[in-house]
Amino acid sequence: MTRWVLSRPESLTEIEQLRLKAVLANCPEPDPLTGHVRSFAQMLTERQGQRLLEWLDAVRKDDLPSPHTLAAGIDRDRDAVIAGLTLPWNSGVVEGHINRIKMLKRQMFGRAGFQLLRKRVLLAP
């Protein structure tokens, strides 16, 4: 069911759409959650950060604890989240390098000193 919630409705097969409707008819809790997830995904993919405050208000109106936790986390750094959902720039390349360095550091843990770690970081592809 998670895939159904996270997928665009038009990408679901007819059978999957019918199954999702049957689940939602018997258990109404996932319905608002599905709407919030899809709405946030649309904001993310279409760079509609200006809709974030409206989305946060809609999430808070529903009695679902998990989205409330997410909304509180987003609220703590609202300006950065709006920028991330709106601006075309991202830190993906930098994050990739940081991930690579952390992986090398984990591989070297307890095996050698800083000098060897430095060489691996500088010479690793």
Side-chain angles (χ1 to χ4, degrees), residues 37-55:
V37 168
R38 287 183 177 157
S39 179
F40 191 84
Q42 183 180 14
M43 277 192 299
L44 185 65
T45 58
E46 297 177 10
R47 300 214 174 271
Q48 299 176 341
Q50 69 278 4
R51 289 184 40 222
L52 183 66
L53 298 178
E54 167 191 324
W55 183 85

mmCIF file of all heavy atoms in Angstrom, residues 37-55:
data_model
loop_
_atom_site.group_PDB
_atom_site.id
_atom_site.type_symbol
_atom_site.label_atom_id
_atom_site.label_comp_id
_atom_site.label_asym_id
_atom_site.label_seq_id
_atom_site.Cartn_x
_atom_site.Cartn_y
_atom_site.Cartn_z
ATOM 1 N N VAL A 37 0.774 13.528 1.429
ATOM 2 C CA VAL A 37 2.003 13.027 0.803
ATOM 3 C C VAL A 37 2.043 13.458 -0.657
ATOM 4 O O VAL A 37 3.069 13.953 -1.144
ATOM 5 C CB VAL A 37 2.101 11.491 0.932
ATOM 6 C CG1 VAL A 37 3.205 10.941 0.053
ATOM 7 C CG2 VAL A 37 2.326 11.091 2.383
ATOM 8 N N ARG A 38 0.945 13.272 -1.363
ATOM 9 C CA ARG A 38 0.914 13.636 -2.787
ATOM 10 C C ARG A 38 1.048 15.143 -2.983
ATOM 11 O O ARG A 38 1.704 15.608 -3.914
ATOM 12 C CB ARG A 38 -0.361 13.112 -3.427
ATOM 13 C CG ARG A 38 -0.310 11.609 -3.599
ATOM 14 C CD ARG A 38 -1.530 11.077 -4.290
ATOM 15 N NE ARG A 38 -1.377 9.624 -4.492
ATOM 16 C CZ ARG A 38 -2.377 8.810 -4.654
ATOM 17 N NH1 ARG A 38 -3.616 9.264 -4.669
ATOM 18 N NH2 ARG A 38 -2.158 7.524 -4.830
ATOM 19 N N SER A 39 0.425 15.916 -2.106
ATOM 20 C CA SER A 39 0.524 17.368 -2.204
ATOM 21 C C SER A 39 1.960 17.836 -1.970
ATOM 22 O O SER A 39 2.471 18.703 -2.681
ATOM 23 C CB SER A 39 -0.420 18.006 -1.194
ATOM 24 O OG SER A 39 -0.341 19.394 -1.243
ATOM 25 N N PHE A 40 2.627 17.235 -0.974
ATOM 26 C CA PHE A 40 4.016 17.605 -0.709
ATOM 27 C C PHE A 40 4.907 17.188 -1.874
ATOM 28 O O PHE A 40 5.804 17.931 -2.281
ATOM 29 C CB PHE A 40 4.511 16.980 0.596
ATOM 30 C CG PHE A 40 5.830 17.543 1.040
ATOM 31 C CD1 PHE A 40 5.874 18.724 1.757
ATOM 32 C CD2 PHE A 40 7.021 16.912 0.734
ATOM 33 C CE1 PHE A 40 7.089 19.266 2.168
ATOM 34 C CE2 PHE A 40 8.234 17.439 1.131
ATOM 35 C CZ PHE A 40 8.272 18.621 1.856
ATOM 36 N N ALA A 41 4.656 16.012 -2.432
ATOM 37 C CA ALA A 41 5.437 15.549 -3.579
ATOM 38 C C ALA A 41 5.270 16.492 -4.766
ATOM 39 O O ALA A 41 6.232 16.779 -5.478
ATOM 40 C CB ALA A 41 5.031 14.129 -3.959
ATOM 41 N N GLN A 42 4.067 16.994 -4.959
ATOM 42 C CA GLN A 42 3.829 17.946 -6.048
ATOM 43 C C GLN A 42 4.592 19.244 -5.796
ATOM 44 O O GLN A 42 5.194 19.800 -6.715
ATOM 45 C CB GLN A 42 2.331 18.219 -6.193
ATOM 46 C CG GLN A 42 2.012 19.132 -7.358
ATOM 47 C CD GLN A 42 0.532 19.407 -7.493
ATOM 48 O OE1 GLN A 42 -0.254 19.140 -6.582
ATOM 49 N NE2 GLN A 42 0.140 19.939 -8.630
ATOM 50 N N MET A 43 4.576 19.728 -4.553
ATOM 51 C CA MET A 43 5.347 20.932 -4.218
ATOM 52 C C MET A 43 6.823 20.707 -4.519
ATOM 53 O O MET A 43 7.504 21.589 -5.035
ATOM 54 C CB MET A 43 5.193 21.285 -2.735
ATOM 55 C CG MET A 43 3.980 22.048 -2.391
ATOM 56 S SD MET A 43 4.044 22.708 -0.704
ATOM 57 C CE MET A 43 4.158 21.236 0.277
ATOM 58 N N LEU A 44 7.308 19.526 -4.182
ATOM 59 C CA LEU A 44 8.720 19.208 -4.356
ATOM 60 C C LEU A 44 9.094 19.110 -5.829
ATOM 61 O O LEU A 44 10.081 19.699 -6.267
ATOM 62 C CB LEU A 44 9.029 17.886 -3.643
ATOM 63 C CG LEU A 44 10.462 17.423 -3.604
ATOM 64 C CD1 LEU A 44 11.318 18.378 -2.802
ATOM 65 C CD2 LEU A 44 10.537 16.035 -3.001
ATOM 66 N N THR A 45 8.319 18.383 -6.610
ATOM 67 C CA THR A 45 8.672 18.164 -8.011
ATOM 68 C C THR A 45 8.393 19.367 -8.898
ATOM 69 O O THR A 45 9.061 19.547 -9.914
ATOM 70 C CB THR A 45 7.940 16.933 -8.581
ATOM 71 O OG1 THR A 45 6.533 17.124 -8.436
ATOM 72 C CG2 THR A 45 8.366 15.670 -7.877
ATOM 73 N N GLU A 46 7.441 20.193 -8.512
ATOM 74 C CA GLU A 46 7.094 21.345 -9.341
ATOM 75 C C GLU A 46 7.605 22.660 -8.763
ATOM 76 O O GLU A 46 7.219 23.741 -9.226
ATOM 77 C CB GLU A 46 5.569 21.393 -9.543
ATOM 78 C CG GLU A 46 5.056 20.183 -10.300
ATOM 79 C CD GLU A 46 3.544 20.174 -10.444
ATOM 80 O OE1 GLU A 46 2.899 21.203 -10.118
ATOM 81 O OE2 GLU A 46 3.016 19.138 -10.867
ATOM 82 N N ARG A 47 8.440 22.573 -7.740
ATOM 83 C CA ARG A 47 9.042 23.742 -7.094
ATOM 84 C C ARG A 47 7.998 24.789 -6.717
ATOM 85 O O ARG A 47 8.022 25.921 -7.178
ATOM 86 C CB ARG A 47 10.105 24.358 -7.989
ATOM 87 C CG ARG A 47 11.215 23.410 -8.316
ATOM 88 C CD ARG A 47 12.522 24.145 -8.437
ATOM 89 N NE ARG A 47 13.619 23.226 -8.606
ATOM 90 C CZ ARG A 47 14.294 22.689 -7.600
ATOM 91 N NH1 ARG A 47 13.982 22.984 -6.380
ATOM 92 N NH2 ARG A 47 15.282 21.868 -7.822
ATOM 93 N N GLN A 48 7.068 24.396 -5.842
ATOM 94 C CA GLN A 48 5.996 25.280 -5.403
ATOM 95 C C GLN A 48 6.119 25.580 -3.911
ATOM 96 O O GLN A 48 5.195 25.371 -3.138
ATOM 97 C CB GLN A 48 4.635 24.635 -5.700
ATOM 98 C CG GLN A 48 4.382 24.377 -7.156
ATOM 99 C CD GLN A 48 3.083 23.651 -7.391
ATOM 100 O OE1 GLN A 48 2.520 23.028 -6.502
ATOM 101 N NE2 GLN A 48 2.600 23.716 -8.613
ATOM 102 N N GLY A 49 7.271 26.071 -3.501
ATOM 103 C CA GLY A 49 7.525 26.360 -2.094
ATOM 104 C C GLY A 49 6.573 27.364 -1.483
ATOM 105 O O GLY A 49 6.348 27.359 -0.270
ATOM 106 N N GLN A 50 5.982 28.204 -2.306
ATOM 107 C CA GLN A 50 5.037 29.207 -1.792
ATOM 108 C C GLN A 50 3.791 28.559 -1.213
ATOM 109 O O GLN A 50 3.073 29.180 -0.435
ATOM 110 C CB GLN A 50 4.677 30.231 -2.882
ATOM 111 C CG GLN A 50 3.837 29.694 -4.019
ATOM 112 C CD GLN A 50 4.639 28.969 -5.107
ATOM 113 O OE1 GLN A 50 5.845 28.792 -4.991
ATOM 114 N NE2 GLN A 50 3.958 28.560 -6.173
ATOM 115 N N ARG A 51 3.528 27.295 -1.533
ATOM 116 C CA ARG A 51 2.362 26.578 -0.998
ATOM 117 C C ARG A 51 2.632 25.909 0.356
ATOM 118 O O ARG A 51 1.737 25.307 0.928
ATOM 119 C CB ARG A 51 1.920 25.490 -1.994
ATOM 120 C CG ARG A 51 1.295 26.025 -3.250
ATOM 121 C CD ARG A 51 0.783 24.917 -4.166
ATOM 122 N NE ARG A 51 0.147 23.844 -3.435
ATOM 123 C CZ ARG A 51 0.323 22.544 -3.711
ATOM 124 N NH1 ARG A 51 1.095 22.165 -4.684
ATOM 125 N NH2 ARG A 51 -0.293 21.617 -3.008
ATOM 126 N N LEU A 52 3.857 26.007 0.853
ATOM 127 C CA LEU A 52 4.227 25.276 2.070
ATOM 128 C C LEU A 52 3.376 25.669 3.274
ATOM 129 O O LEU A 52 2.922 24.793 4.007
ATOM 130 C CB LEU A 52 5.712 25.462 2.395
ATOM 131 C CG LEU A 52 6.193 24.681 3.614
ATOM 132 C CD1 LEU A 52 6.119 23.181 3.340
ATOM 133 C CD2 LEU A 52 7.593 25.076 4.003
ATOM 134 N N LEU A 53 3.153 26.947 3.495
ATOM 135 C CA LEU A 53 2.377 27.378 4.668
ATOM 136 C C LEU A 53 0.946 26.848 4.601
ATOM 137 O O LEU A 53 0.398 26.387 5.612
ATOM 138 C CB LEU A 53 2.386 28.904 4.779
ATOM 139 C CG LEU A 53 3.763 29.538 4.983
ATOM 140 C CD1 LEU A 53 3.658 31.051 5.032
ATOM 141 C CD2 LEU A 53 4.427 28.993 6.226
ATOM 142 N N GLU A 54 0.371 26.865 3.425
ATOM 143 C CA GLU A 54 -0.974 26.306 3.226
ATOM 144 C C GLU A 54 -0.970 24.798 3.516
ATOM 145 O O GLU A 54 -1.877 24.274 4.157
ATOM 146 C CB GLU A 54 -1.383 26.578 1.770
ATOM 147 C CG GLU A 54 -2.573 25.853 1.257
ATOM 148 C CD GLU A 54 -2.695 26.026 -0.265
ATOM 149 O OE1 GLU A 54 -2.380 27.105 -0.785
ATOM 150 O OE2 GLU A 54 -3.131 25.057 -0.911
ATOM 151 N N TRP A 55 0.074 24.102 3.073
ATOM 152 C CA TRP A 55 0.196 22.657 3.307
ATOM 153 C C TRP A 55 0.344 22.367 4.804
ATOM 154 O O TRP A 55 -0.278 21.455 5.326
ATOM 155 C CB TRP A 55 1.387 22.107 2.521
ATOM 156 C CG TRP A 55 1.553 20.636 2.640
ATOM 157 C CD1 TRP A 55 0.929 19.669 1.901
ATOM 158 C CD2 TRP A 55 2.403 19.937 3.556
ATOM 159 N NE1 TRP A 55 1.343 18.416 2.303
ATOM 160 C CE2 TRP A 55 2.245 18.554 3.322
ATOM 161 C CE3 TRP A 55 3.277 20.350 4.563
ATOM 162 C CZ2 TRP A 55 2.923 17.580 4.042
ATOM 163 C CZ3 TRP A 55 3.958 19.384 5.275
ATOM 164 C CH2 TRP A 55 3.782 18.016 5.019
#
